[in-house]
Amino acid sequence: MAQYSPVLNVMMAAARKAGKPLIRDLGELENLQVSMKGPSDFVTSADKRTEKILIDELSRARPGYGFLAEESGAIEGKDRTHRFIVDPIDGTTNFMHGIAHFAISIALEREGQIVSALVYNPATDEMFTAEKGHGALLNSKRIRVAARKTLSHALVATGIPFHGHGDAARFQAELDRVMGQVSGIRRFGAASLDLAYVASGRFDAFWERDLAPWDIAAGQLLVKEAQGVVSDLNGGPDMLDQGSILAANDALHPVLLKVLRAAGKS
Ligand code: IPD
Ligand code: CA
Ligand code: CA
């Protein structure tokens, strides 16, 4: 049996509680696809409800901790050394379309460092967790990044700019450079799960720009604790401030970073 720290147990219980109604919502969303009203109000209220459950549960167990949450923004706590970074539904567009690929993402930051993390897909009941210095787990079983060392064998995930978001020309240049050299590119639509999939060896690498801290705070720790390498797209450690990320194993990370940086210069 895996040993989780008390705070990670609290985070997991909160994610499970908030995740249950989302499974029910998925069924309702199937019906809403064909209604005139469409699913968008429904999704907004699911997002808000999920975040409220998470904040209520986490604050009850850890009063005084602060939050940085997608819907509520920054909430200062009495305890200035701890805050939870929360994305209530990562992969909202999938959720809105009734696609069961979305996640609750929770990271705990202690004195500026992410020390505990979870990414939970309620639809598949996959709970990815990590604690700094203690490795990464999927449903209590240890996970590791993939061992593939050759770029031409690598399955690489990314995020594509969309309406009103991101730099399409820059992405196009990066895609042009990467796609001909790898075995496949995937755009699954939930950055937290993209990182969890790198951590568990399903994807060999993932890169994306223009992300928010709550998209990647938990996932980046999963990858590090699964023996992977993460950086921003300049190769530095400032993923959360910069909003860009590259995650892979230690062999592929430098190779992909070079390819992506070369695309920026073309
Ligand atoms: C989005 C997802 C998506 C990424 C977007 C994010 P949301 O988060 O992580 O994969 O490409 O940039 O905003 O809006 O579904 O929480
Ligand atoms: Ca997100
Ligand atoms: Ca979200």
Side-chain angles (χ1 to χ4, degrees), residues 70 87-92 103 105 189-192 211-212 214-216:
E70 184 173 17
D87 193 340
I89 304 177
D90 184 43
T92 330
S105 172
S192 61
L211 291 164
W214 44 80
D215 296 321
I216 52 179

Side-chain angles (χ1 to χ4, degrees), residues 191-224:
S192 61
L193 283 173
D194 290 329
L195 288 163
Y197 280 24
V198 172
S200 52
R202 294 175 182 171
F203 292 145
D204 297 293
F206 167 64
W207 94 92
E208 188 166 352
R209 294 180 185 276
D210 302 303
L211 291 164
W214 44 80
D215 296 321
I216 52 179
Q220 58 83 33
L221 185 66
L222 293 177
V223 176
K224 276 188 205 156

